[in-house]
């Protein structure tokens, strides 16, 4: 019987993000296309003899939350309680996805913990069963369990697989500030939105493997809030369009802006240009595929 597993927790980007309505419970009904990218955290999960759960990270996160507030810790705690596991876990987390960036780093760590404990403890739960457990901890967790290219609806928990996006070079720029997801959604005036993503056109482009048309379909309604408060984000999007990207967008509630490229050389030239122009920002080059 194994007593340790290592699990990769990849980031995601939004290819589209539409807000349909505000729900009575305060959440929003969404319709968005989500895509896994190959920048990832890595979790080593060890089964221990005592019932305690511990979490360590190789870097200190800006929010300085105690380990007990981390979603990976909460996932281990939930699995331990739900399945009456008589032992505990040590989670060693190598953090590579920038935090509070709109890339679902915390949700992906949570999903990886669920997947890892499922394997480590021989629970034989399906991904569907894990999704039902994970959505209690976060709306993005089911996608992070399933990964790939998905249409996501409801609060993010209703997932429909889409044709896989051909690997595109993806350049991410994470500014040196964060945006509160709650603030962005609360400031959004859904009834005053004049432009919505053409989700069906984007899905058709995916089906036809038409990356250029897909690049033209990238749209996130949350940019209306984020760009008004932080004009630097709009400048980042313009940087991509001036540096060879076939499309650019803010991921999630931000503040990360990404650009997609069909050509590796153009992507690497843009990467070097971004490193020079934005020395205080996080700049990452990856691809739209599983790690």
């Amino acid at each position: 019987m194994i007593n340790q597993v290592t699990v990769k927790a990849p980031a995601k980007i939004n290819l589209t993000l539409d807000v349909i309505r505000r729900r009575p419970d305060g959440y929003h009904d969404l319709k968005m296309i989500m895509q896994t990218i190959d920048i990832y955290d890595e979790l080593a999960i060890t089964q221990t003899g005592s019932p305690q759960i511990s979490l360590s990270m190789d870097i200190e996160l800006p929010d300085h939350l105690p380990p007990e507030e981390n979603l990976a810790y909460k996932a281990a705690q939930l699995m331990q309680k739900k399945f009456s596991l008589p032992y505990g876990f040590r989670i060693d987390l190598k953090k590579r996805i920038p935090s509070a960036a709109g890339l679902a780093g915390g949700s992906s760590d949570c999903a990886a913990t669920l997947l890892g404990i499922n394997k480590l403890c021989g629970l034989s739960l399906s991904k569907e069963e894990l999704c039902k457990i994970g959505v209690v901890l976060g709306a993005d967790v089911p996608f992070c369990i399933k990964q790939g290219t998905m249409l996501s609806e409801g609060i993010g928990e209703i997932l429909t697989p889409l044709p896989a996006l051909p690997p595109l070079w993806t350049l991410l720029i994470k500014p040196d500030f964060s945006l509160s997801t709650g603030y962005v959604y609360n400031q959004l005036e859904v009834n005053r939105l004049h432009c919505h993503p053409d989700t069906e056109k984007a899905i058709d482009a995916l089906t036809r493997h038409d990356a250029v048309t897909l690049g033209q379909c990238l749209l996130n309604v949350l940019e209306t809030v984020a760009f008004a408060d932080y004009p630097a984000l709009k400048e980042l999007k313009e940087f991509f369009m001036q540096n060879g990207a076939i499309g650019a967008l803010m991921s999630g509630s931000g503040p990360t802006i990404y650009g997609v490229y069909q050509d590796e050389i153009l992507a690497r030239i843009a990467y070097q240009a971004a490193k020079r122009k934005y020395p205080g920002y996080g700049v990452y080059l990856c691809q739209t595929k599983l790690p």
Side-chain angles (χ1 to χ4, degrees):
M1 179 171 147
I2 60 172
N3 72 339
Q4 185 183 82
V5 293
T6 300
V7 191
K8 292 178 179 179
K12 66 85 184 169
I13 54 174
N14 293 85
L15 302 178
T16 65
L17 194 160
D18 200 7
V19 178
I20 309 302
R21 64 184 67 83
R22 186 182 180 93
R23 297 155 44 124
D25 60 9
Y27 289 96
H28 291 79
D29 280 323
L30 308 173
K31 187 173 185 178
M32 52 192 178
I33 299 175
M34 301 171 75
Q35 172 65 45
T36 302
I37 55 177
D38 67 346
I39 178 173
Y40 58 90
D41 295 341
E42 190 170 272
L43 294 85
I45 305 171
T46 306
Q47 181 181 309
T48 62
S50 68
Q52 280 73 38
I53 296 171
S54 65
L55 171 70
S56 65
M57 281 184 281
D58 61 344
I59 61 171
E60 180 70 31
L61 298 184
D63 53 23
H64 301 294
L65 287 176
E68 295 79 10
E69 294 300 313
N70 188 284
L71 283 177
Y73 184 101
K74 289 183 176 181
Q77 191 176 51
L78 180 59
M79 293 288 275
Q80 185 187 55
K81 182 178 180 180
K82 187 173 182 65
F83 297 101
S84 302
L85 301 176
Y87 35 75
F89 303 97
R90 187 182 77 242
I91 304 170
D92 297 301
L93 174 54
K94 292 181 180 178
K95 195 71 185 163
R96 298 296 177 265
I97 304 170
S99 62
L103 301 172
S107 293
S108 193
D109 293 342
C110 178
T113 303
L114 296 175
L115 289 163
I117 290 176
N118 184 46
K119 181 178 180 180
L120 185 63
C121 301
L123 298 176
S124 301
L125 299 169
S126 68
K127 286 189 175 182
E128 291 294 343
E129 290 172 310
L130 289 172
C131 286
K132 290 177 182 177
I133 297 169
V135 73
V136 175
L137 298 170
D140 282 346
V141 175
F143 170 78
C144 293
I145 289 171
K146 292 191 170 183
Q147 304 178 18
T149 310
M150 295 270 179
L151 175 65
S152 174
E153 298 176 277
I155 61 170
E157 84 286 12
I158 303 171
L159 298 170
T160 305
L162 297 175
L165 176 65
L168 296 173
W169 290 92
T170 308
L171 179 58
L172 310 170
I173 302 180
K174 162 63 169 67
D176 58 356
F177 56 83
S178 297
L179 289 176
S180 161
T181 298
Y183 171 81
V184 172
Y185 275 99
N186 286 333
Q187 292 300 306
L188 183 70
E189 297 183 59
V190 180
N191 295 331
R192 299 184 66 178
L193 290 172
H194 300 299
C195 191
H196 294 269
D198 189 338
T199 308
E200 298 310 315
K201 184 177 180 180
I203 292 173
D204 178 65
L206 283 169
T207 303
R208 294 183 293 103
H209 302 291
D210 183 350
V212 173
T213 298
L214 180 65
Q216 296 166 354
C217 291
L218 303 182
L219 200 152
N220 178 350
V221 299
L222 299 182
E223 288 183 349
T224 59
V225 175
F227 287 13
D229 286 355
Y230 294 92
L233 297 178
K234 185 176 182 181
E235 178 194 322
L236 285 177
K237 193 171 181 179
E238 291 169 352
F239 165 85
F240 284 114
M241 302 316 295
Q242 293 166 3
N243 284 270
I246 59 172
L249 198 68
M250 182 177 79
S251 184
S253 57
T256 300
I257 308 290
Y258 72 86
V260 288
Y261 294 80
Q262 288 183 293
D263 186 278
E264 180 182 357
I265 294 175
L266 281 178
R268 293 194 179 279
I269 291 172
Y271 171 76
Q272 294 299 332
K275 295 279 282 187
R276 290 192 299 270
K277 187 168 184 177
Y278 305 107
Y281 289 4
V283 181
Y284 311 85
L285 184 61
C286 58
Q287 286 186 288
T288 54
K289 64 179 183 179
L290 300 179

